[in-house]
């Protein structure tokens, strides 16, 4: 393999290098200096993120099993930014005595999962995609059970591994059926027809991915796993794992399965309505903020389907833009939840009564994140939903557009319940004033800047749209 071919896989090589460096540091570093691993890892991850944005060769390797182009590179860079923010937000949590001797394991497992995400996005063959998917999922199942002294964490790990095994079996069966129908699994030679066996293979393949994205009716594991997992792992599941599955779904639907577009449009049409509505209705009933954000993320997955259902280039661009916005908005909300949980152990919405009076800055960040998730102008979330609605209107699905607008109003109601608790409700025992560590503050500032800049700086969407046009 030449140096140019090596550089095509620079994202994966960079992540593997970071993992190896951490492994060597864990073995060779003195015990009293291992606390520096957190800062060391964040610096290395920041370097990987910057390297991802540098110009580099694109193309294919391993006989077209691995593919990269500017659009796929952008997808990986978006997810790398998200993981860097999660690393920053996990500082204080990893400082707790129960986890100080397992800090490196946390980073190694998360990096392993991110390597799987990168291979999944760059897959040019269904088996490469499947291997990437498994490498993404198994480390995260271990991380869900990371808090070994909490029964809910163990329960979350077991539920995640069982649901992942079930979804992987369904997806692998779908791939087998597609192979039986077409005789090959290479993306560039795949000729999906509208025969019954092709449709059957697609249904199983889509069902397997739907588990990862938490699309109704494959969402039942989400709230329990989100609640039981450590908050940093929940953030990863909510943003990185879901974002990567959305990216690969967009790629395969708009390329491999374009022949059966009328069929999968009907499937996405129905699942989008169900996912938005059920996610919203269950979110209203939640008191635990992690369960609240879990059902909120299910509803957001329904909104993402709006961009995919038309199968247009504009829709593809809106989905990638929305995921970028979602990374900053959701990680800002989870960052505040994690900071409060670390400082006070409080996790319910009622615990946030009077929060603004004691912690005004965190309250403002939380409000910014929730307003962005709700789609209130002029924040980035508003433009994300506006572009999604434009894409679905362009495709002529006006009833679906009406349902989406109605669901946006419902989501606005429950997001405002949290804002009301923070700014209007009074409490005799509010969360006491506290100061977050520097890493958490940097992550929340980065999220807030991202929510504001992406909303106001229109070249971001234009850049994504141009890459989608070139890619198609």
């Amino acid at each position: 393999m030449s140096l140019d071919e090596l550089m095509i896989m620079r994202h994966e090589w960079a992540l593997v290098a970071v993992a190896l460096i951490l492994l060597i540091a864990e073995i060779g570093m003195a015990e009293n200096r291992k606390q520096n691993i957190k800062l060391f890892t964040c610096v290395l991850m920041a370097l990987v993120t910057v390297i991802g944005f540098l110009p580099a060769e694109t193309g294919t390797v391993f006989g077209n099993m691995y593919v990269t182009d500017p659009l796929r590179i952008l997808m990986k860079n978006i997810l790398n930014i998200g993981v860097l923010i999660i690393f920053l937000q996990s500082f204080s949590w990893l400082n707790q005595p129960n986890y100080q001797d397992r800090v490196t394991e946390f980073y190694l497992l998360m990096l392993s999962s991110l390597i799987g995400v990168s291979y999944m996005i760059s897959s040019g063959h269904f088996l490469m995609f499947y291997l990437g998917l498994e490498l993404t999922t198994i480390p995260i199942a271990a991380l869900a059970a990371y808090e070994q002294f909490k029964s809910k964490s163990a329960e979350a790990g077991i539920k995640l591994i069982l649901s992942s095994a079930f979804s992987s079996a369904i997806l692998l069966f779908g791939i087998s059926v597609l192979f039986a129908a077409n005789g090959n699994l290479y993306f560039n030679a795949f000729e999906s027809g509208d025969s019954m066996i092709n449709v059957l293979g697609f249904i199983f393949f889509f069902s397997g991915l739907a588990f990862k994205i938490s699309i109704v009716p494959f969402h039942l594991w989400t709230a329990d796993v989100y609640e039981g997992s450590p908050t940093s792992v929940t953030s990863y599941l909510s943003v990185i794992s879901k974002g990567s599955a959305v990216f690969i779904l967009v790629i395969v639907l708009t390329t491999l399965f374009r022949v059966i577009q009328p069929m999968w449009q009907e499937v996405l049409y129905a699942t989008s309505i169900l996912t938005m509505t059920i996610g919203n209705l269950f979110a209203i009933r939640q008191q635990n903020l992690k369960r609240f954000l879990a059902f909120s993320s299910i509803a957001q997955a329904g909104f993402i389907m709006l961009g995919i259902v038309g199968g247009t280039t504009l829709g593809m661009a809106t989905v990638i833009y929305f995921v970028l916005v979602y990374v900053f908005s959701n990680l800002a909300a989870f960052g505040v939840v994690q900071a409060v949980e670390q400082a006070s152990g409080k996790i319910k919405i009622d615990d946030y009564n009077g929060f603004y009076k004691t912690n005004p800055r965190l309250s403002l960040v939380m409000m910014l994140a929730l307003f962005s998730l709700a789609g209130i102008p002029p924040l980035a979330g508003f433009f994300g939903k506006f572009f999604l609605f434009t894409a679905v209107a362009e495709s002529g699905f006006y009833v679906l557009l009406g349902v989406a607008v109605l669901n946006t109003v419902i989501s606005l109601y429950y997001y405002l319940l949290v804002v009301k608790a923070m700014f209007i409700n009074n409490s005799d025992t509010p969360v006491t004033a506290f100061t977050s560590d520097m890493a958490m503050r940097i992550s929340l500032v980065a999220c807030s800047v991202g929510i504001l800049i992406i909303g106001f700086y229109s070249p971001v969407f234009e850049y994504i749209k141009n890459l989608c046009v070139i890619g198609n």
Side-chain angles (χ1 to χ4, degrees):
M1 181 178 284
S2 66
L3 181 61
D4 289 341
E5 287 177 323
L6 280 174
M7 290 306 295
I8 288 174
M9 298 175 64
R10 59 177 172 159
H11 280 87
E12 291 76 11
W13 289 125
L15 292 170
V16 169
V18 173
L20 287 175
I21 291 170
L22 286 183
L23 198 58
I24 294 168
E26 172 66 20
I27 295 170
M29 193 175 282
E31 287 295 328
N32 60 349
R33 299 182 62 186
K34 284 188 178 176
Q35 285 307 308
N36 297 325
I37 283 181
K38 294 192 286 294
L39 178 61
F40 186 50
T41 307
C42 288
V43 171
L44 290 175
M45 192 63 212
L47 282 175
V48 170
T49 306
V50 171
I51 289 171
F53 283 97
L54 297 177
E57 292 290 327
T58 58
T60 63
V61 289
F62 301 130
N64 294 325
M65 291 188 80
Y66 179 95
V67 182
T68 189
D69 54 37
L71 190 60
R72 286 179 168 85
I73 289 173
L74 175 67
M75 292 173 177
K76 294 176 189 177
N77 288 336
I78 291 172
L79 300 179
N80 281 351
I81 292 170
V83 171
L84 176 60
I85 293 172
I86 292 171
F87 281 179
L88 290 170
Q89 292 181 348
S90 62
F91 255 60
S92 59
W93 170 62
L94 290 171
N95 276 335
Q96 294 181 56
N98 287 338
Y99 314 121
Q100 283 182 353
D101 60 340
R102 293 185 288 135
V103 171
T104 310
E105 286 91 328
F106 171 81
Y107 290 124
L108 285 175
L109 286 170
M110 200 159 276
L111 285 168
S112 301
S113 179
L114 188 59
I115 292 168
V117 164
S118 296
Y119 276 110
M120 192 167 67
I121 291 173
S122 276
S123 52
H125 190 280
F126 275 108
L127 288 185
M128 175 69 84
F129 160 74
Y130 183 73
L131 289 174
L133 184 69
E134 290 303 297
L135 185 57
T136 301
T137 306
I138 294 172
I140 289 302
L143 283 175
Y146 190 82
E147 294 180 320
Q148 61 188 30
F149 304 106
K150 295 182 179 177
S151 58
K152 280 199 169 183
S153 182
E155 180 185 337
I158 291 170
K159 283 185 176 176
L160 183 55
I161 198 72
L162 288 176
S163 61
S164 297
F166 185 58
S167 64
S168 292
I170 291 175
L171 188 141
L172 194 58
F173 181 72
I175 292 175
S176 304
V177 173
L178 291 172
F179 178 73
N182 298 281
N184 84 82
L185 293 174
Y186 282 96
F187 286 4
N188 62 351
F190 194 77
E191 296 179 1
S192 171
D194 57 356
S195 63
M196 184 57 70
I197 192 167
N198 257 322
V199 172
L200 183 68
F202 166 75
I203 289 172
F204 280 101
F205 179 80
F206 175 77
S207 300
L209 270 183
F211 268 100
K212 309 295 181 188
I213 309 175
S214 301
I215 296 174
V216 174
F218 307 103
H219 67 293
L220 296 175
W221 60 275
T222 310
D224 290 344
V225 172
Y226 277 32
E227 182 186 6
S229 301
T231 307
S232 292
V233 179
T234 307
S235 302
Y236 186 93
L237 283 167
S238 172
V239 175
I240 310 301
S241 181
K242 180 174 290 189
S244 62
V246 167
F247 286 153
I248 195 68
L249 183 63
V250 170
I251 291 172
V252 297
L253 287 183
T254 55
T255 54
L256 308 187
F257 295 109
R258 188 171 286 281
V259 174
I260 56 172
Q261 184 170 334
M263 193 278 289
W264 59 252
Q265 274 184 335
E266 292 180 5
V267 174
L268 290 186
Y269 193 102
T271 54
S272 176
I273 292 175
L274 287 173
T275 306
M276 283 187 291
T277 308
I278 291 177
N280 277 337
L281 293 180
F282 276 87
I284 294 174
R285 298 166 52 88
Q286 303 306 314
Q287 258 296 314
N288 184 297
L289 265 171
K290 286 168 77 173
R291 293 185 72 86
F292 170 85
L293 289 171
F295 283 107
S296 157
S297 76
I298 292 170
Q300 298 288 351
F303 286 112
I304 290 172
M305 294 299 107
L306 297 176
I308 305 175
V309 70
T312 62
T313 302
L314 175 64
M316 188 176 185
T318 60
V319 168
I320 297 169
Y321 179 82
F322 191 83
V323 171
L324 174 63
V325 173
Y326 185 69
V327 166
F328 289 111
S329 305
N330 224 34
L331 289 183
F334 272 113
V336 175
V337 170
Q338 181 158 355
V340 174
E341 189 180 11
Q342 291 298 312
S344 65
K346 296 183 176 179
I347 193 70
K348 293 184 177 179
I349 294 176
D350 286 345
D351 295 332
Y352 282 66
N353 288 345
F355 188 58
Y356 174 72
K357 294 177 181 174
T358 54
N359 294 278
R361 291 177 185 173
L362 284 177
S363 302
L364 289 172
V365 173
M366 188 66 157
M367 183 185 71
L368 199 66
L370 295 177
F371 279 4
S372 181
L373 289 170
I376 293 178
L379 302 175
F382 165 76
F383 293 101
K385 285 191 177 171
F386 175 75
F387 293 143
L388 286 174
F389 292 170
T390 304
V392 79
E394 185 189 55
S395 302
F397 298 117
Y398 297 112
V399 174
L400 180 59
L401 177 62
V403 174
V405 171
L406 182 62
N407 273 287
T408 301
V409 176
I410 296 173
S411 69
L412 180 61
Y413 166 73
Y414 63 73
Y415 286 127
L416 286 177
L417 287 178
V418 183
V419 177
K420 174 174 172 284
M422 292 190 297
F423 288 88
I424 298 177
N425 292 356
N426 293 315
S427 172
D428 295 330
T429 56
V431 176
T432 55
F434 66 92
T435 303
S436 304
D437 60 53
M438 181 58 73
M440 176 63 81
R441 278 182 276 169
I442 291 172
S443 75
L444 293 179
V445 169
C447 290
S448 303
V449 171
I451 292 170
L452 293 171
I453 295 296
I454 297 171
F456 285 107
Y457 193 60
S458 63
V460 174
F461 181 73
E462 294 298 327
Y463 175 69
I464 295 172
K465 189 179 175 185
N466 289 337
L467 288 184
C468 291
V469 171
I470 294 169
N472 284 337

